[in-house]
Amino acid sequence: MSQPNKKQIIKQFNENNEPFYLVDHKDAVSLCFVFHPTPFHENSLGQDAFNRYAESIGEPVKDQYGLFTHGCGYEWEYVFRKAFEDDPNIDKITFDCEAGGFFCYGKDAEMMADFGKRFKDICEDENKLFDIVCEAVPEFEERENMDMNM
């Protein structure tokens, strides 16, 4: 039995792991998750964990414009990094997150599909995701503040 090729890996992943999806960029494969930080999409995967986090630290769930206080792509990156901090392949991934989306890249389609599946499983476990959010967001915010002050 032959190993699935990159195209097959991506197709199979995309059929089974919504809202996450993989994109082939020839020299890399990206794992993507696009979301909308507005009240019109409150049931987005994982947003409840970020909303619970905001409440747990005494912040409002939404800002004055009606956007969620937490759960932007940058915070999703923190959560992903925290979830896989002990995985030796995390160093093979680069990130290019935006306010409304989580995007990371790696050279190996199978590795990216594996990360994506495991991350989706984490996101579907609201309590597990909440625990990681509570640990990751303040840790990485602190690290970024230190970097800005240097």
Side-chain angles (χ1 to χ4, degrees):
M1 186 181 251
S2 65
Q3 291 282 66
N5 66 31
K6 181 170 31 171
K7 192 177 219 176
Q8 291 169 323
I9 292 168
I10 291 171
K11 183 178 186 285
Q12 183 177 8
F13 179 88
N14 290 349
E15 289 174 354
N16 297 308
N17 291 287
E18 282 187 43
F20 292 93
Y21 60 95
L22 295 175
V23 176
D24 185 358
H25 300 279
K26 295 195 191 226
D27 62 338
V29 173
S30 61
L31 172 63
C32 310
F33 173 40
V34 177
F35 45 85
H36 305 279
T38 65
F40 307 110
H41 297 87
E42 286 191 46
N43 294 323
S44 291
L45 179 67
Q47 186 60 52
D48 286 342
F50 285 98
N51 292 349
R52 285 175 50 203
Y53 169 71
E55 291 171 343
S56 75
I57 62 170
E59 291 184 0
V61 169
K62 296 175 188 158
D63 68 14
Q64 63 187 5
Y65 306 106
L67 301 176
F68 291 119
T69 309
H70 290 279
C72 70
Y74 309 108
E75 290 179 332
W76 276 97
E77 177 184 338
Y78 305 155
V79 171
F80 187 94
R81 286 179 183 273
K82 189 64 170 176
F84 299 113
E85 67 185 350
D86 294 328
D87 189 308
N89 288 323
I90 193 68
D91 292 335
K92 296 177 182 176
I93 293 179
T94 58
F95 296 87
D96 188 22
C97 297
E98 302 289 337
F102 169 83
F103 307 97
C104 64
Y105 300 83
K107 296 206 179 286
D108 182 271
E110 199 165 357
M111 177 188 75
M112 296 306 290
D114 178 58
F115 270 119
K117 173 67 175 119
R118 290 186 292 147
F119 196 47
K120 182 179 181 240
D121 290 345
I122 289 168
C123 293
E124 290 176 338
D125 182 338
E126 189 176 314
N127 290 325
K128 185 173 188 170
L129 180 61
F130 173 70
D131 290 343
I132 296 171
V133 167
C134 288
E135 192 174 345
V137 172
E139 182 179 303
F140 282 92
E141 283 178 346
E142 182 178 315
R143 190 176 301 166
E144 282 188 356
N145 287 337
M146 284 179 21
D147 289 346
M148 290 175 67
N149 293 327
M150 292 183 118

